[in-house]
Amino acid sequence: NAGVTQTPKFQVLKTGQSMTLQCAQDMNHEYMSWYRQDPGMGLRLIHYSVGAGITDQGEVPNGYNVSRSTTEDFPLRLLSAAPSQTSVYFCASSWPRGSPQETQYFGPGTRLLVL
Amino acid sequence: KQEVTQIPAALSVPEGENLVLNCSFTDSAIYNLQWFRQDPGKGLTSLLLIQSSQREQTSGRLNASLDKSSGRSTLYIAASQPGDSATYLCAVYNNNDMRFGAGTRLTVKP
């Protein structure tokens, strides 16, 4: 198993540009999520999905869109990048769903710099 | 709104010392609490998960405790080694929502 994979590893954007951060998992997990990590702060939840075709907002959703057409993939779209979106982005999946033992598995992260 | 706090923000100890990292949370309605390790420039690795009905979990030199009523968890690391140097994050999970603390940056000096 590759686990949770993310591409690209690093990206530089200009203000106003759009891009998609890719996330994929091969563990057949229903739940997937996106977080951002900023210096001095913990990870904050952007969006999550409990299965194909179902997405919902987390703590900091503004400026980001998601979709979930398959169990494996959960891309994060920045529609019009802003310097405030400079951050490290982590994708995660979890299992077993809805159990007190539900454990999060994280990807290696994407570093995004918006100029 | 759930808030998670970790103290201290940074800790430096000599090799071989036993140490305790602290995590507190404001809402006791949680499914579980997880401790993660993050190395510089890397993703998160799960160390221990404590279910809401449990009081502690152990893995090797690591022991995590949970006191839901007081909103506290501790991560105990025995006989610390330089390879333990990393940032340790705690996170509480409930109803599709995981909230993280800002982490404790641990340095173990040889």
Side-chain angles (χ1 to χ4, degrees):
Chain A
N1 284 350
V4 181
T5 58
Q6 293 183 237
T7 56
K9 286 190 168 102
F10 181 70
Q11 183 73 46
V12 179
L13 290 179
K14 293 181 180 177
T15 297
Q17 286 185 317
S18 62
M19 80 159 295
T20 298
L21 280 64
Q22 301 293 343
C23 174
Q25 52 94 7
D26 61 358
M27 298 174 282
N28 203 33
H29 291 172
E30 293 178 339
Y31 182 92
M32 296 185 73
S33 52
W34 276 101
Y35 297 85
R36 60 178 289 172
Q37 184 177 33
D38 300 299
M41 302 181 70
L43 280 73
R44 291 181 293 168
L45 182 65
I46 304 172
H47 284 286
Y48 66 91
S49 168
V50 299
I54 306 170
T55 63
D56 207 344
Q57 296 180 348
E59 186 183 359
V60 288
N62 293 340
Y64 307 96
N65 273 1
V66 292
S67 60
R68 183 98 178 268
S69 56
T70 66
T71 299
E72 294 79 19
D73 300 300
F74 190 42
L76 178 72
R77 297 183 185 84
L78 282 69
L79 303 176
S80 178
S84 61
Q85 294 179 303
T86 293
S87 188
V88 181
Y89 292 85
F90 290 100
C91 179
S93 68
S94 69
W95 182 89
R97 181 83 188 104
S99 160
Q101 300 165 312
E102 186 167 357
T103 302
Q104 303 273 333
Y105 300 87
F106 282 83
T110 294
R111 293 182 177 273
L112 177 66
L113 175 62
V114 182
L115 303 175
Chain B
K1 175 189 165 185
Q2 178 76 271
E3 293 184 3
V4 182
T5 304
Q6 290 187 247
I7 294 173
L11 180 64
S12 181
V13 300
E15 182 177 2
E17 193 162 296
N18 302 326
L19 59 99
V20 174
L21 307 181
N22 296 293
C23 173
S24 62
F25 49 95
T26 56
D27 186 349
S28 62
I30 63 172
Y31 275 164
N32 61 45
L33 182 145
Q34 273 187 268
W35 282 94
F36 294 89
R37 169 183 173 137
Q38 185 176 29
D39 293 291
K42 304 291 185 184
L44 281 68
T45 301
S46 181
L47 297 173
L48 288 166
L49 180 146
I50 311 177
Q51 300 176 40
S52 60
S53 60
Q54 297 175 326
R55 294 301 298 266
E56 66 177 341
Q57 282 288 331
T58 298
S59 177
R61 295 183 293 107
L62 305 180
N63 176 276
S65 68
L66 174 64
D67 183 344
K68 269 187 19 174
S69 60
S70 67
R72 294 178 190 276
S73 175
T74 61
L75 179 66
Y76 175 83
I77 302 177
S80 59
Q81 302 170 358
D84 294 331
S85 297
T87 296
Y88 292 81
L89 297 156
C90 75
V92 294
Y93 183 62
N94 185 39
N95 196 25
N96 297 319
D97 189 12
M98 179 166 257
R99 297 290 172 120
F100 284 80
T104 294
R105 189 173 68 253
L106 173 66
T107 302
V108 181
K109 296 175 289 187

